[in-house]
Amino acid sequence: MNKTGKRTYYGWYIVISASLIVLLSMGLRMGIGPFVNPMILDLGVSRTEFSVIIAIGMIVYGLGMPLAGWLIKLYSTRFVLITGLLIFCASVLWTINANGMISFLLSFGILLSVGLSFLSNITLAPIVSKWFVKQRGKALFYLSTGGMAGMAVMTPVENTLIHYFGWHQTLLLLSGVFICVVLPSAIFIMRENVPEGADGVVTRGRVHNQDIQEKLTWKDAVRTRAYWQIVIGLFACGFGMNLMGTHAVPMLMDHHFEPMTASFGFGLIGIVAIFSSLFLGSIADRYPRKNILFWVYFVRGMGILGLVFVESPWQLFFVSVTGGLVWAGSIAMSSAILSDFYGVRLLGILNGWAFFGHQIGGAIGSFIGGWGYETFGTHVIAFGAAAFVSIIASIVSFRLPEKITFAKYIKDEVQSLSK
């Protein structure tokens, strides 16, 4: 109960629980930078070869997302979370005992990616969207805050744990934390039965729109230009975020920053994103979502480009703070727009395939980050490309429609109401 005597809306407990899960899964997926150098030394591979493994993992991570969306529709969020946890724990045990490149590729590159995809934002965004109508944008932004907190928290934590215990023990410790967070959340908190109207007042127009959305199929969605505009934006998001997650810390160390300074500078993006996402969440349902998405991609592109040219800690921290202001927005806004356009029922599968585009971008970004440096001796190629793609995404996002109408379903609805 709060001070006014009203019960706290149950949906917020789901948001908190989901945010903690995303904190861990995205924190590990996006904050892999501290693992790069010690794993390369242990495996005896080049940065390009390691980048190939990461790139394959990114694609598998993307393929796991529509699978997770399909399983949610077939079973439940709880089932997908517990399955993902089991896969993740098995992959960690295999990874720390892996011998040779093939074993490491199968365990760390493929199996771990499947497990993390089942514990990702894609699995949790549909249930959050179900519980929120009037405040859907805010709730999804808060969910994204978990991912940003993960990047802020996990990167320096992983760096510290690896320094004292090595990367094998660090993965084991993290798997124990995953069990303590994901298992009770899946069993006790994730409820699929939502009260009528969720958190908002259902108007006649909204009911009418929901009736039409209930009839939509995924084929209807992918035939619209707006869906592919979202996919283009998420491709850019994946390109930049995974390039940063895999290569930002090593890049900064190549530019003669101390390891802890590099890790903190990268983690600072997530720290700022935690607070900025709270602000963006407060305006997400008050202003056109496409306008917010435009600024997210534009400022992020400038930040990615700026990061490669910083020469001192204060410059690094300034760029990190600036980039962190918009770091959380793309995933939240994309999910909100998809649910607005096509309904919550299709959100899991549509979000999953859209995020496959995100992971294709992530695979390309992760590969180019290593290959570009070893081929040209500079990080400007990869980070400049990420900035360029982000600017393209900002333009495409600005051109999104305010809403989508499906003429054939509107005609059917009008005919049924007239009878």
PDB file of all heavy atoms in Angstrom, residues 255-274:
ATOM      1  N   HIS A 255      44.049   2.846 -26.958  1.00  0.00           N
ATOM      2  CA  HIS A 255      44.334   4.284 -26.982  1.00  0.00           C
ATOM      3  C   HIS A 255      44.980   4.745 -25.671  1.00  0.00           C
ATOM      4  O   HIS A 255      44.937   5.915 -25.332  1.00  0.00           O
ATOM      5  CB  HIS A 255      43.055   5.069 -27.253  1.00  0.00           C
ATOM      6  CG  HIS A 255      42.539   4.890 -28.639  1.00  0.00           C
ATOM      7  ND1 HIS A 255      41.402   5.512 -29.107  1.00  0.00           N
ATOM      8  CD2 HIS A 255      43.002   4.156 -29.690  1.00  0.00           C
ATOM      9  CE1 HIS A 255      41.181   5.159 -30.371  1.00  0.00           C
ATOM     10  NE2 HIS A 255      42.144   4.348 -30.742  1.00  0.00           N
ATOM     11  N   HIS A 256      45.531   3.768 -24.934  1.00  0.00           N
ATOM     12  CA  HIS A 256      46.369   4.028 -23.750  1.00  0.00           C
ATOM     13  C   HIS A 256      45.588   4.481 -22.512  1.00  0.00           C
ATOM     14  O   HIS A 256      46.169   5.114 -21.621  1.00  0.00           O
ATOM     15  CB  HIS A 256      47.465   5.058 -24.087  1.00  0.00           C
ATOM     16  CG  HIS A 256      48.241   4.711 -25.319  1.00  0.00           C
ATOM     17  ND1 HIS A 256      49.030   3.590 -25.424  1.00  0.00           N
ATOM     18  CD2 HIS A 256      48.331   5.343 -26.526  1.00  0.00           C
ATOM     19  CE1 HIS A 256      49.579   3.528 -26.630  1.00  0.00           C
ATOM     20  NE2 HIS A 256      49.165   4.587 -27.324  1.00  0.00           N
ATOM     21  N   PHE A 257      44.317   4.130 -22.440  1.00  0.00           N
ATOM     22  CA  PHE A 257      43.577   4.328 -21.195  1.00  0.00           C
ATOM     23  C   PHE A 257      43.808   3.123 -20.288  1.00  0.00           C
ATOM     24  O   PHE A 257      43.929   1.990 -20.756  1.00  0.00           O
ATOM     25  CB  PHE A 257      42.076   4.486 -21.470  1.00  0.00           C
ATOM     26  CG  PHE A 257      41.686   5.817 -22.054  1.00  0.00           C
ATOM     27  CD1 PHE A 257      41.629   6.001 -23.427  1.00  0.00           C
ATOM     28  CD2 PHE A 257      41.387   6.890 -21.224  1.00  0.00           C
ATOM     29  CE1 PHE A 257      41.276   7.220 -23.978  1.00  0.00           C
ATOM     30  CE2 PHE A 257      41.025   8.122 -21.760  1.00  0.00           C
ATOM     31  CZ  PHE A 257      40.967   8.291 -23.140  1.00  0.00           C
ATOM     32  N   GLU A 258      43.878   3.378 -18.979  1.00  0.00           N
ATOM     33  CA  GLU A 258      44.005   2.292 -18.017  1.00  0.00           C
ATOM     34  C   GLU A 258      42.758   1.402 -18.075  1.00  0.00           C
ATOM     35  O   GLU A 258      41.661   1.892 -18.357  1.00  0.00           O
ATOM     36  CB  GLU A 258      44.178   2.839 -16.602  1.00  0.00           C
ATOM     37  CG  GLU A 258      45.483   3.580 -16.374  1.00  0.00           C
ATOM     38  CD  GLU A 258      46.677   2.648 -16.475  1.00  0.00           C
ATOM     39  OE1 GLU A 258      46.545   1.465 -16.068  1.00  0.00           O
ATOM     40  OE2 GLU A 258      47.735   3.093 -16.974  1.00  0.00           O
ATOM     41  N   PRO A 259      42.886   0.076 -17.804  1.00  0.00           N
ATOM     42  CA  PRO A 259      41.737  -0.831 -17.888  1.00  0.00           C
ATOM     43  C   PRO A 259      40.531  -0.384 -17.059  1.00  0.00           C
ATOM     44  O   PRO A 259      39.393  -0.425 -17.536  1.00  0.00           O
ATOM     45  CB  PRO A 259      42.298  -2.164 -17.380  1.00  0.00           C
ATOM     46  CG  PRO A 259      43.755  -2.098 -17.721  1.00  0.00           C
ATOM     47  CD  PRO A 259      44.137  -0.663 -17.544  1.00  0.00           C
ATOM     48  N   MET A 260      40.765   0.070 -15.816  1.00  0.00           N
ATOM     49  CA  MET A 260      39.641   0.491 -14.972  1.00  0.00           C
ATOM     50  C   MET A 260      39.029   1.785 -15.481  1.00  0.00           C
ATOM     51  O   MET A 260      37.808   1.976 -15.414  1.00  0.00           O
ATOM     52  CB  MET A 260      40.092   0.656 -13.521  1.00  0.00           C
ATOM     53  CG  MET A 260      40.269  -0.658 -12.773  1.00  0.00           C
ATOM     54  SD  MET A 260      38.783  -1.717 -12.802  1.00  0.00           S
ATOM     55  CE  MET A 260      37.598  -0.681 -11.950  1.00  0.00           C
ATOM     56  N   THR A 261      39.861   2.688 -16.010  1.00  0.00           N
ATOM     57  CA  THR A 261      39.338   3.937 -16.588  1.00  0.00           C
ATOM     58  C   THR A 261      38.485   3.631 -17.805  1.00  0.00           C
ATOM     59  O   THR A 261      37.404   4.206 -17.985  1.00  0.00           O
ATOM     60  CB  THR A 261      40.487   4.877 -16.988  1.00  0.00           C
ATOM     61  OG1 THR A 261      41.294   5.160 -15.840  1.00  0.00           O
ATOM     62  CG2 THR A 261      39.950   6.184 -17.558  1.00  0.00           C
ATOM     63  N   ALA A 262      38.961   2.715 -18.654  1.00  0.00           N
ATOM     64  CA  ALA A 262      38.206   2.326 -19.842  1.00  0.00           C
ATOM     65  C   ALA A 262      36.885   1.677 -19.457  1.00  0.00           C
ATOM     66  O   ALA A 262      35.824   1.991 -20.017  1.00  0.00           O
ATOM     67  CB  ALA A 262      39.038   1.375 -20.698  1.00  0.00           C
ATOM     68  N   SER A 263      36.919   0.760 -18.472  1.00  0.00           N
ATOM     69  CA  SER A 263      35.696   0.077 -18.044  1.00  0.00           C
ATOM     70  C   SER A 263      34.713   1.050 -17.406  1.00  0.00           C
ATOM     71  O   SER A 263      33.502   0.990 -17.663  1.00  0.00           O
ATOM     72  CB  SER A 263      36.029  -1.038 -17.048  1.00  0.00           C
ATOM     73  OG  SER A 263      36.791  -2.048 -17.665  1.00  0.00           O
ATOM     74  N   PHE A 264      35.235   1.957 -16.583  1.00  0.00           N
ATOM     75  CA  PHE A 264      34.346   2.935 -15.949  1.00  0.00           C
ATOM     76  C   PHE A 264      33.772   3.901 -16.981  1.00  0.00           C
ATOM     77  O   PHE A 264      32.596   4.262 -16.916  1.00  0.00           O
ATOM     78  CB  PHE A 264      35.095   3.721 -14.871  1.00  0.00           C
ATOM     79  CG  PHE A 264      34.235   4.781 -14.214  1.00  0.00           C
ATOM     80  CD1 PHE A 264      33.243   4.427 -13.313  1.00  0.00           C
ATOM     81  CD2 PHE A 264      34.403   6.122 -14.530  1.00  0.00           C
ATOM     82  CE1 PHE A 264      32.449   5.386 -12.719  1.00  0.00           C
ATOM     83  CE2 PHE A 264      33.608   7.091 -13.942  1.00  0.00           C
ATOM     84  CZ  PHE A 264      32.626   6.724 -13.032  1.00  0.00           C
ATOM     85  N   GLY A 265      34.606   4.316 -17.930  1.00  0.00           N
ATOM     86  CA  GLY A 265      34.120   5.217 -18.972  1.00  0.00           C
ATOM     87  C   GLY A 265      32.995   4.601 -19.774  1.00  0.00           C
ATOM     88  O   GLY A 265      31.987   5.253 -20.077  1.00  0.00           O
ATOM     89  N   PHE A 266      33.134   3.311 -20.113  1.00  0.00           N
ATOM     90  CA  PHE A 266      32.079   2.608 -20.833  1.00  0.00           C
ATOM     91  C   PHE A 266      30.862   2.404 -19.937  1.00  0.00           C
ATOM     92  O   PHE A 266      29.720   2.613 -20.343  1.00  0.00           O
ATOM     93  CB  PHE A 266      32.602   1.269 -21.342  1.00  0.00           C
ATOM     94  CG  PHE A 266      31.572   0.469 -22.094  1.00  0.00           C
ATOM     95  CD1 PHE A 266      31.085   0.913 -23.310  1.00  0.00           C
ATOM     96  CD2 PHE A 266      31.101  -0.719 -21.578  1.00  0.00           C
ATOM     97  CE1 PHE A 266      30.134   0.178 -24.000  1.00  0.00           C
ATOM     98  CE2 PHE A 266      30.153  -1.461 -22.258  1.00  0.00           C
ATOM     99  CZ  PHE A 266      29.669  -1.007 -23.484  1.00  0.00           C
ATOM    100  N   GLY A 267      31.104   1.998 -18.694  1.00  0.00           N
ATOM    101  CA  GLY A 267      29.996   1.783 -17.764  1.00  0.00           C
ATOM    102  C   GLY A 267      29.239   3.052 -17.436  1.00  0.00           C
ATOM    103  O   GLY A 267      28.046   3.007 -17.117  1.00  0.00           O
ATOM    104  N   LEU A 268      29.926   4.206 -17.535  1.00  0.00           N
ATOM    105  CA  LEU A 268      29.286   5.485 -17.253  1.00  0.00           C
ATOM    106  C   LEU A 268      28.117   5.743 -18.204  1.00  0.00           C
ATOM    107  O   LEU A 268      27.136   6.401 -17.833  1.00  0.00           O
ATOM    108  CB  LEU A 268      30.310   6.618 -17.355  1.00  0.00           C
ATOM    109  CG  LEU A 268      29.860   8.014 -16.934  1.00  0.00           C
ATOM    110  CD1 LEU A 268      29.413   8.031 -15.482  1.00  0.00           C
ATOM    111  CD2 LEU A 268      30.990   9.022 -17.154  1.00  0.00           C
ATOM    112  N   ILE A 269      28.219   5.218 -19.432  1.00  0.00           N
ATOM    113  CA  ILE A 269      27.108   5.347 -20.378  1.00  0.00           C
ATOM    114  C   ILE A 269      25.853   4.737 -19.770  1.00  0.00           C
ATOM    115  O   ILE A 269      24.768   5.328 -19.806  1.00  0.00           O
ATOM    116  CB  ILE A 269      27.449   4.652 -21.710  1.00  0.00           C
ATOM    117  CG1 ILE A 269      28.648   5.322 -22.376  1.00  0.00           C
ATOM    118  CG2 ILE A 269      26.238   4.666 -22.652  1.00  0.00           C
ATOM    119  CD1 ILE A 269      29.144   4.584 -23.613  1.00  0.00           C
ATOM    120  N   GLY A 270      25.995   3.550 -19.207  1.00  0.00           N
ATOM    121  CA  GLY A 270      24.852   2.891 -18.594  1.00  0.00           C
ATOM    122  C   GLY A 270      24.361   3.573 -17.335  1.00  0.00           C
ATOM    123  O   GLY A 270      23.156   3.611 -17.073  1.00  0.00           O
ATOM    124  N   ILE A 271      25.292   4.125 -16.544  1.00  0.00           N
ATOM    125  CA  ILE A 271      24.890   4.829 -15.326  1.00  0.00           C
ATOM    126  C   ILE A 271      24.016   6.022 -15.663  1.00  0.00           C
ATOM    127  O   ILE A 271      22.940   6.223 -15.081  1.00  0.00           O
ATOM    128  CB  ILE A 271      26.136   5.284 -14.532  1.00  0.00           C
ATOM    129  CG1 ILE A 271      26.927   4.073 -14.024  1.00  0.00           C
ATOM    130  CG2 ILE A 271      25.729   6.181 -13.366  1.00  0.00           C
ATOM    131  CD1 ILE A 271      28.251   4.433 -13.375  1.00  0.00           C
ATOM    132  N   VAL A 272      24.457   6.820 -16.632  1.00  0.00           N
ATOM    133  CA  VAL A 272      23.670   7.981 -17.052  1.00  0.00           C
ATOM    134  C   VAL A 272      22.351   7.530 -17.669  1.00  0.00           C
ATOM    135  O   VAL A 272      21.305   8.150 -17.459  1.00  0.00           O
ATOM    136  CB  VAL A 272      24.478   8.838 -18.053  1.00  0.00           C
ATOM    137  CG1 VAL A 272      23.622   9.973 -18.604  1.00  0.00           C
ATOM    138  CG2 VAL A 272      25.722   9.397 -17.381  1.00  0.00           C
ATOM    139  N   ALA A 273      22.395   6.426 -18.430  1.00  0.00           N
ATOM    140  CA  ALA A 273      21.190   5.934 -19.095  1.00  0.00           C
ATOM    141  C   ALA A 273      20.114   5.523 -18.100  1.00  0.00           C
ATOM    142  O   ALA A 273      18.919   5.618 -18.400  1.00  0.00           O
ATOM    143  CB  ALA A 273      21.537   4.762 -20.010  1.00  0.00           C
ATOM    144  N   ILE A 274      20.527   5.074 -16.928  1.00  0.00           N
ATOM    145  CA  ILE A 274      19.542   4.709 -15.894  1.00  0.00           C
ATOM    146  C   ILE A 274      18.668   5.912 -15.564  1.00  0.00           C
ATOM    147  O   ILE A 274      17.426   5.822 -15.544  1.00  0.00           O
ATOM    148  CB  ILE A 274      20.253   4.204 -14.623  1.00  0.00           C
ATOM    149  CG1 ILE A 274      21.013   2.907 -14.908  1.00  0.00           C
ATOM    150  CG2 ILE A 274      19.234   3.985 -13.502  1.00  0.00           C
ATOM    151  CD1 ILE A 274      21.885   2.464 -13.762  1.00  0.00           C
TER     152      ILE A 274
END
